[in-house]
PDB file of all heavy atoms in Angstrom:
ATOM      1  N   ILE A  19      24.136   5.491   6.455  1.00  0.00           N
ATOM      2  CA  ILE A  19      23.518   6.207   7.426  1.00  0.00           C
ATOM      3  C   ILE A  19      22.029   6.065   7.488  1.00  0.00           C
ATOM      4  O   ILE A  19      21.459   5.958   8.547  1.00  0.00           O
ATOM      5  CB  ILE A  19      23.856   7.790   7.395  1.00  0.00           C
ATOM      6  CG1 ILE A  19      25.427   7.953   7.590  1.00  0.00           C
ATOM      7  CG2 ILE A  19      23.030   8.630   8.239  1.00  0.00           C
ATOM      8  CD1 ILE A  19      26.016   9.357   7.269  1.00  0.00           C
ATOM      9  N   ILE A  20      21.389   6.125   6.248  1.00  0.00           N
ATOM     10  CA  ILE A  20      19.904   5.881   6.208  1.00  0.00           C
ATOM     11  C   ILE A  20      19.595   4.345   6.739  1.00  0.00           C
ATOM     12  O   ILE A  20      18.633   4.214   7.450  1.00  0.00           O
ATOM     13  CB  ILE A  20      19.524   5.905   4.762  1.00  0.00           C
ATOM     14  CG1 ILE A  20      19.567   7.416   4.333  1.00  0.00           C
ATOM     15  CG2 ILE A  20      18.057   5.452   4.461  1.00  0.00           C
ATOM     16  CD1 ILE A  20      19.392   7.532   2.781  1.00  0.00           C
ATOM     17  N   GLY A  21      20.411   3.323   6.475  1.00  0.00           N
ATOM     18  CA  GLY A  21      20.060   2.064   6.875  1.00  0.00           C
ATOM     19  C   GLY A  21      20.200   1.965   8.474  1.00  0.00           C
ATOM     20  O   GLY A  21      19.463   1.318   9.120  1.00  0.00           O
ATOM     21  N   LEU A  22      21.295   2.621   8.977  1.00  0.00           N
ATOM     22  CA  LEU A  22      21.543   2.607  10.406  1.00  0.00           C
ATOM     23  C   LEU A  22      20.367   3.273  11.152  1.00  0.00           C
ATOM     24  O   LEU A  22      19.926   2.849  12.280  1.00  0.00           O
ATOM     25  CB  LEU A  22      22.892   3.356  10.670  1.00  0.00           C
ATOM     26  CG  LEU A  22      23.388   3.211  12.108  1.00  0.00           C
ATOM     27  CD1 LEU A  22      23.533   1.871  12.621  1.00  0.00           C
ATOM     28  CD2 LEU A  22      24.588   4.114  12.148  1.00  0.00           C
ATOM     29  N   ALA A  23      19.832   4.440  10.623  1.00  0.00           N
ATOM     30  CA  ALA A  23      18.769   5.051  11.297  1.00  0.00           C
ATOM     31  C   ALA A  23      17.451   4.242  11.252  1.00  0.00           C
ATOM     32  O   ALA A  23      16.600   4.189  12.073  1.00  0.00           O
ATOM     33  CB  ALA A  23      18.443   6.518  10.464  1.00  0.00           C
ATOM     34  N   ALA A  24      17.205   3.447  10.153  1.00  0.00           N
ATOM     35  CA  ALA A  24      16.131   2.584  10.004  1.00  0.00           C
ATOM     36  C   ALA A  24      16.169   1.472  11.010  1.00  0.00           C
ATOM     37  O   ALA A  24      15.236   1.031  11.725  1.00  0.00           O
ATOM     38  CB  ALA A  24      15.955   2.111   8.609  1.00  0.00           C
ATOM     39  N   TRP A  25      17.355   0.916  11.066  1.00  0.00           N
ATOM     40  CA  TRP A  25      17.620   0.015  12.151  1.00  0.00           C
ATOM     41  C   TRP A  25      17.493   0.303  13.462  1.00  0.00           C
ATOM     42  O   TRP A  25      16.893  -0.383  14.253  1.00  0.00           O
ATOM     43  CB  TRP A  25      19.085  -0.743  11.911  1.00  0.00           C
ATOM     44  CG  TRP A  25      19.398  -1.737  12.905  1.00  0.00           C
ATOM     45  CD1 TRP A  25      19.155  -3.051  12.872  1.00  0.00           C
ATOM     46  CD2 TRP A  25      20.062  -1.599  14.050  1.00  0.00           C
ATOM     47  NE1 TRP A  25      19.533  -3.751  13.932  1.00  0.00           N
ATOM     48  CE2 TRP A  25      20.254  -2.908  14.698  1.00  0.00           C
ATOM     49  CE3 TRP A  25      20.723  -0.490  14.649  1.00  0.00           C
ATOM     50  CZ2 TRP A  25      20.807  -3.026  15.926  1.00  0.00           C
ATOM     51  CZ3 TRP A  25      21.388  -0.731  15.767  1.00  0.00           C
ATOM     52  CH2 TRP A  25      21.445  -1.886  16.506  1.00  0.00           C
ATOM     53  N   GLY A  26      18.004   1.450  13.801  1.00  0.00           N
ATOM     54  CA  GLY A  26      17.908   2.045  15.110  1.00  0.00           C
ATOM     55  C   GLY A  26      16.380   2.309  15.528  1.00  0.00           C
ATOM     56  O   GLY A  26      16.042   2.103  16.604  1.00  0.00           O
ATOM     57  N   ALA A  27      15.689   2.870  14.530  1.00  0.00           N
ATOM     58  CA  ALA A  27      14.336   3.154  14.776  1.00  0.00           C
ATOM     59  C   ALA A  27      13.421   1.817  15.045  1.00  0.00           C
ATOM     60  O   ALA A  27      12.653   1.728  15.866  1.00  0.00           O
ATOM     61  CB  ALA A  27      13.550   3.816  13.649  1.00  0.00           C
ATOM     62  N   ARG A  28      13.724   0.838  14.325  1.00  0.00           N
ATOM     63  CA  ARG A  28      13.074  -0.527  14.586  1.00  0.00           C
ATOM     64  C   ARG A  28      13.577  -1.181  15.963  1.00  0.00           C
ATOM     65  O   ARG A  28      12.692  -1.810  16.595  1.00  0.00           O
ATOM     66  CB  ARG A  28      13.336  -1.507  13.433  1.00  0.00           C
ATOM     67  CG  ARG A  28      12.641  -1.173  12.181  1.00  0.00           C
ATOM     68  CD  ARG A  28      12.833  -2.097  11.136  1.00  0.00           C
ATOM     69  NE  ARG A  28      11.694  -2.173  10.314  1.00  0.00           N
ATOM     70  CZ  ARG A  28      11.153  -3.405   9.900  1.00  0.00           C
ATOM     71  NH1 ARG A  28      11.793  -4.485  10.101  1.00  0.00           N
ATOM     72  NH2 ARG A  28       9.968  -3.389   9.169  1.00  0.00           N
ATOM     73  N   ARG A  29      14.765  -1.012  16.251  1.00  0.00           N
ATOM     74  CA  ARG A  29      15.390  -1.733  17.379  1.00  0.00           C
ATOM     75  C   ARG A  29      15.082  -0.903  18.733  1.00  0.00           C
ATOM     76  O   ARG A  29      14.606  -1.586  19.695  1.00  0.00           O
ATOM     77  CB  ARG A  29      16.858  -1.748  17.238  1.00  0.00           C
ATOM     78  CG  ARG A  29      17.568  -2.327  18.370  1.00  0.00           C
ATOM     79  CD  ARG A  29      17.551  -3.855  18.368  1.00  0.00           C
ATOM     80  NE  ARG A  29      18.379  -4.375  19.333  1.00  0.00           N
ATOM     81  CZ  ARG A  29      18.097  -4.897  20.581  1.00  0.00           C
ATOM     82  NH1 ARG A  29      16.823  -4.908  20.930  1.00  0.00           N
ATOM     83  NH2 ARG A  29      18.828  -5.525  21.260  1.00  0.00           N
ATOM     84  N   TYR A  30      15.080   0.343  18.744  1.00  0.00           N
ATOM     85  CA  TYR A  30      15.078   1.046  19.900  1.00  0.00           C
ATOM     86  C   TYR A  30      13.821   1.916  20.035  1.00  0.00           C
ATOM     87  O   TYR A  30      13.640   2.448  21.170  1.00  0.00           O
ATOM     88  CB  TYR A  30      16.389   1.959  20.110  1.00  0.00           C
ATOM     89  CG  TYR A  30      17.583   1.200  20.214  1.00  0.00           C
ATOM     90  CD1 TYR A  30      18.528   1.112  19.091  1.00  0.00           C
ATOM     91  CD2 TYR A  30      17.870   0.328  21.283  1.00  0.00           C
ATOM     92  CE1 TYR A  30      19.739   0.342  19.238  1.00  0.00           C
ATOM     93  CE2 TYR A  30      18.984  -0.360  21.433  1.00  0.00           C
ATOM     94  CZ  TYR A  30      19.905  -0.397  20.452  1.00  0.00           C
ATOM     95  OH  TYR A  30      21.074  -1.178  20.516  1.00  0.00           O
TER      96      TYR A  30
END
Side-chain angles (χ1 to χ4, degrees):
I19 290 171
I20 292 171
L22 187 62
W25 175 81
R28 288 183 146 220
R29 175 77 169 107
Y30 296 109

